[in-house]
């Protein structure tokens, strides 16, 4: 009966919020207040349990990869598709997708979790599997230094009941894997994803920004990572898995998403090997068929705002989310600047992080020849000053995103366009673009 009451209340709040143009997480906030155990009961019924995806960079796209690879195997997957990665966002998604009785038509949940807000989640729903991607200097006003973020991720790992996947090339994440091996022994299987030595410089860790290049983390006994990214091409990647090479085309945009594809492959392989929970009856079981997993990966398209491709005025427009030095650096390296009209939109709301000093850790010199047609957002003038120091010409600065987008269109006629933007700027721009062209509805 509690599930029915909570689900009906949540659905009613959701309907009212949508009519008034309110936020997608509001139903989750209301249900959390009146029934803190709702999420644990709903997710506890899933035959394959819960997969948590956390870390500083890449959560949304990597979660999407895992979801679509599992769906290709026939599993019904519940996920927080909007990218709302606080617990209230997960509850809101469960209310929206569940029945009026509070039941999800799903076999497994794959959930992107904010590093800090995951603490509330894991107290109620211990994940069966966890994927930890990286620790980078991001939103320092929220978390302080990266050791604080690492401690939060350690707590997620400690709450995980069966399988943990870690980034071998990130010193702090690799250490979490080692501690989990020592603490849990055989009860929690730890797997790793990694890079060939040739690619280490292409994907800098936080140590590379602040202490110079460091040696790759050693794996116990010299064992290879479960999945290693060994080569890159134009929308193409090659992985080594159990000694075999798998080369595949990719529809994903951006270099970092290619490395995160290795993380997604490891996670799906771990889920397939574990199978459904012993005390649950599963409608579908999946096999550990690497070729099929790689083939499914090849069909995954970018998540919204993460190299998302739109069309505006008959020309392509790319939205590239940026939120820390490594992500911005790899975003700039992933796309050719020549011949493309560029706009940068920087906000400093809570979801973006209020401290924008990290912009000074990014090298913008690759934009010097082509320049930037428009700089916008609440921190537009800070961004313009940063570009000036790298001798990047800026044609215009306009804080208001709506006016900036209109001026950007006028300044870049008959030209492909690209917008680098922080999270809240990306959401506002997508809403404005939805009035001009086809934009996928994420709500």
């Amino acid at each position: 009966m509690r599930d029915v009451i909570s689900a009906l209340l949540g659905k009613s709040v959701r309907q009212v919020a949508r009519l008034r143009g309110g936020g997608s997480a509001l139903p989750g906030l209301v249900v959390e207040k009146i029934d803190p155990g709702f999420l644990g009961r709903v997710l506890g019924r899933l035959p394959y349990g819960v997969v948590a995806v956390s870390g500083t960079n890449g959560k949304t796209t990597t979660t999407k990869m895992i979801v679509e690879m599992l769906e290709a195997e026939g599993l019904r997957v519940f996920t927080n598709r909007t990218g709302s990665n606080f617990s209230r966002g997960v509850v809101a998604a469960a209310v929206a997708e569940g029945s009026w009785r509070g039941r999800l038509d799903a076999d497994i949940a794959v959930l992107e979790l904010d590093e800090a807000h995951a603490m509330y989640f894991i107290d109620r729903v211990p994940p069966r599997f966890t994927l930890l991607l990286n620790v980078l200097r991001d939103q320092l006003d929220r978390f302080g230094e990266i050791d604080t973020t690492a401690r939060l991720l350690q707590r997620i790992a400690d709450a995980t009941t069966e399988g943990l996947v870690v980034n071998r090339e990130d010193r702090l994440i690799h250490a979490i894997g080692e501690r989990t091996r020592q603490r849990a022994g055989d009860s929690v299987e730890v797997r790793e994803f990694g890079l060939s030595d040739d690619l280490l410089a292409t994907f800098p860790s936080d140590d590379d920004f602040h202490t110079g290049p460091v040696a790759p983390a050693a794996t116990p006994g010299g064992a290879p990572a479960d999945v290693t990214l060994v080569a890159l091409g134009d929308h193409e990647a090659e992985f080594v898995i159990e000694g075999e090479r798998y080369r595949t085309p990719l529809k994903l945009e951006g270099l970092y998403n290619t490395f995160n594809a290795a993380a997604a492959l490891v996670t799906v392989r771990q889920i397939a090997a574990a199978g459904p929970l012993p005390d649950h009856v599963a409608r579908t079981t999946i096999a550990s068929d690497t070729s099929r997993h790689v083939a499914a990966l090849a069909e995954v398209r970018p998540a919204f705002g993460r190299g998302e491709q739109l069309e505006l005025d008959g020309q392509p427009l790319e939205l590239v989310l940026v939120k820390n030095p490594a992500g911005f650096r790899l975003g700039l390296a992933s796309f050719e600047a020549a011949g493309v009209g560029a706009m940068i939109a920087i906000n400093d709301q809570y979801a973006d992080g209020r401290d924008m000093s990290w912009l000074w850790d990014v090298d913008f010199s690759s934009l010097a020849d082509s320049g930037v047609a428009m700089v916008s957002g609440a921190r537009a003038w800070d961004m313009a000053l940063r570009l000036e120091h790298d001798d990047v010409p800026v044609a215009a600065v306009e804080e208001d995103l709506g006016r900036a987008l209109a001026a950007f269109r006028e300044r870049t006629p008959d030209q492909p366009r690209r917008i680098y933007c922080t999270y809240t700027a990306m959401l506002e721009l997508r809403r404005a673009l939805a009035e001009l062209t086809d934009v996928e509805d994420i709500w």
Side-chain angles (χ1 to χ4, degrees), residues 54-59 115 133-139 143 146 149 153 173 323-324:
S54 197
T56 311
N57 247 32
K59 296 186 288 293
E115 300 94 306
L133 292 167
N134 44 56
V135 180
L136 299 167
R137 279 172 169 79
D138 181 39
Q139 300 193 4
F143 298 143
I146 58 173
T149 306
L153 296 177
I173 296 295
K323 55 182 218 163
N324 53 45

Coordinates of all heavy atoms in Angstrom, one line a residue, residues 54-59 115 133-139 143 146 149 153 173 323-324:
S54 N 29.8 6.4 -11.3 CA 30.2 7.7 -10.7 C 31.6 8.0 -11.0 O 32.3 7.3 -11.7 CB 30.0 7.6 -9.1 OG 30.0 8.9 -8.6
G55 N 32.0 9.2 -10.6 CA 33.3 9.8 -11.0 C 33.0 11.2 -11.5 O 31.9 11.7 -11.5
T56 N 34.1 11.9 -11.8 CA 34.0 13.3 -12.1 C 33.5 13.6 -13.5 O 32.7 14.4 -13.8 CB 35.4 14.0 -11.9 OG1 35.9 13.7 -10.6 CG2 35.2 15.5 -12.0
N57 N 34.1 12.9 -14.5 CA 33.8 13.1 -15.9 C 33.3 11.9 -16.6 O 33.7 10.8 -16.3 CB 35.1 13.5 -16.6 CG 35.2 14.9 -17.1 OD1 34.6 15.8 -16.5 ND2 35.9 15.1 -18.2
G58 N 32.3 12.1 -17.5 CA 31.8 11.0 -18.4 C 30.7 10.2 -17.9 O 30.4 9.2 -18.5
K59 N 30.1 10.5 -16.7 CA 29.0 9.6 -16.2 C 27.9 9.4 -17.1 O 27.4 8.3 -17.3 CB 28.5 10.2 -14.8 CG 29.6 10.2 -13.8 CD 29.0 10.6 -12.4 CE 28.6 12.1 -12.4 NZ 29.8 13.0 -12.4
E115 N 28.8 12.3 -7.1 CA 29.7 11.8 -6.1 C 29.2 12.0 -4.6 O 29.3 11.1 -3.8 CB 31.1 12.4 -6.2 CG 31.8 12.2 -7.6 CD 31.5 13.3 -8.6 OE1 30.3 13.6 -8.8 OE2 32.5 13.8 -9.1
L133 N 34.9 6.1 -12.6 CA 35.6 6.5 -13.9 C 36.9 7.3 -13.6 O 37.9 7.0 -14.2 CB 34.6 7.4 -14.7 CG 33.4 6.7 -15.3 CD1 32.4 7.7 -15.8 CD2 33.9 5.7 -16.4
N134 N 36.8 8.3 -12.8 CA 38.0 9.2 -12.6 C 37.8 10.2 -11.5 O 36.7 10.3 -11.0 CB 38.3 10.0 -13.9 CG 37.0 10.5 -14.5 OD1 36.3 11.3 -13.9 ND2 36.7 10.2 -15.8
V135 N 38.9 10.8 -11.1 CA 38.8 11.9 -10.1 C 39.6 13.1 -10.7 O 40.8 13.0 -10.9 CB 39.4 11.5 -8.7 CG1 39.3 12.7 -7.8 CG2 38.7 10.3 -8.2
L136 N 38.9 14.2 -11.0 CA 39.5 15.4 -11.6 C 39.0 16.6 -10.7 O 38.0 16.5 -10.0 CB 39.0 15.6 -13.0 CG 39.5 14.4 -14.0 CD1 38.7 14.5 -15.3 CD2 40.9 14.4 -14.2
R137 N 39.8 17.7 -10.8 CA 39.5 18.9 -10.1 C 38.2 19.5 -10.7 O 38.3 20.1 -11.8 CB 40.7 19.8 -10.1 CG 41.7 19.5 -9.0 CD 42.9 20.3 -9.1 NE 43.8 20.1 -8.0 CZ 44.6 19.1 -7.8 NH1 44.7 18.1 -8.7 NH2 45.4 19.0 -6.7
D138 N 37.1 19.3 -10.1 CA 35.8 19.8 -10.6 C 35.0 20.3 -9.5 O 34.8 19.6 -8.5 CB 35.2 18.6 -11.3 CG 33.8 18.9 -11.9 OD1 33.7 20.0 -12.5 OD2 32.9 18.1 -11.8
Q139 N 34.4 21.5 -9.6 CA 33.5 22.0 -8.6 C 34.1 22.0 -7.2 O 33.7 21.5 -6.3 CB 32.2 21.2 -8.6 CG 31.4 21.2 -9.9 CD 30.0 20.7 -9.8 OE1 29.5 20.4 -8.7 NE2 29.4 20.6 -10.9
F143 N 33.4 20.3 -3.3 CA 34.1 19.2 -2.7 C 35.4 19.5 -2.1 O 36.0 18.7 -1.4 CB 34.3 18.1 -3.8 CG 33.0 17.6 -4.4 CD1 32.9 17.2 -5.7 CD2 31.9 17.4 -3.6 CE1 31.8 16.7 -6.2 CE2 30.7 16.9 -4.1 CZ 30.6 16.6 -5.4
I146 N 40.7 17.1 -4.5 CA 40.3 15.8 -5.1 C 40.3 14.7 -4.2 O 39.6 13.7 -4.4 CB 41.1 15.5 -6.4 CG1 42.6 15.4 -6.0 CG2 40.9 16.5 -7.5 CD1 43.5 14.9 -7.2
T149 N 36.8 14.1 -3.0 CA 36.0 13.4 -4.0 C 36.4 11.9 -3.9 O 35.5 11.0 -4.0 CB 36.3 13.9 -5.4 OG1 36.0 15.4 -5.4 CG2 35.4 13.3 -6.4
L153 N 34.0 8.5 -3.3 CA 33.9 7.4 -4.2 C 34.3 6.1 -3.5 O 33.8 5.0 -3.8 CB 34.8 7.6 -5.5 CG 34.4 8.8 -6.4 CD1 35.4 9.0 -7.5 CD2 33.0 8.6 -6.9
I173 N 41.6 6.4 -8.2 CA 40.6 5.3 -8.5 C 41.2 4.0 -8.4 O 40.6 3.0 -7.9 CB 40.0 5.6 -9.9 CG1 39.2 6.9 -9.9 CG2 39.0 4.4 -10.3 CD1 38.0 6.9 -9.0
K323 N 33.4 21.0 -18.1 CA 33.2 21.3 -16.7 C 34.5 21.2 -15.9 O 34.4 21.4 -14.7 CB 32.1 20.4 -16.1 CG 32.3 18.9 -16.3 CD 31.2 18.2 -15.7 CE 31.6 16.9 -15.0 NZ 30.6 16.4 -14.1
N324 N 35.6 20.9 -16.5 CA 36.9 20.9 -15.8 C 38.0 20.9 -16.8 O 37.8 20.8 -18.0 CB 37.0 19.6 -14.8 CG 36.7 18.3 -15.6 OD1 37.2 18.1 -16.6 ND2 35.9 17.5 -15.0

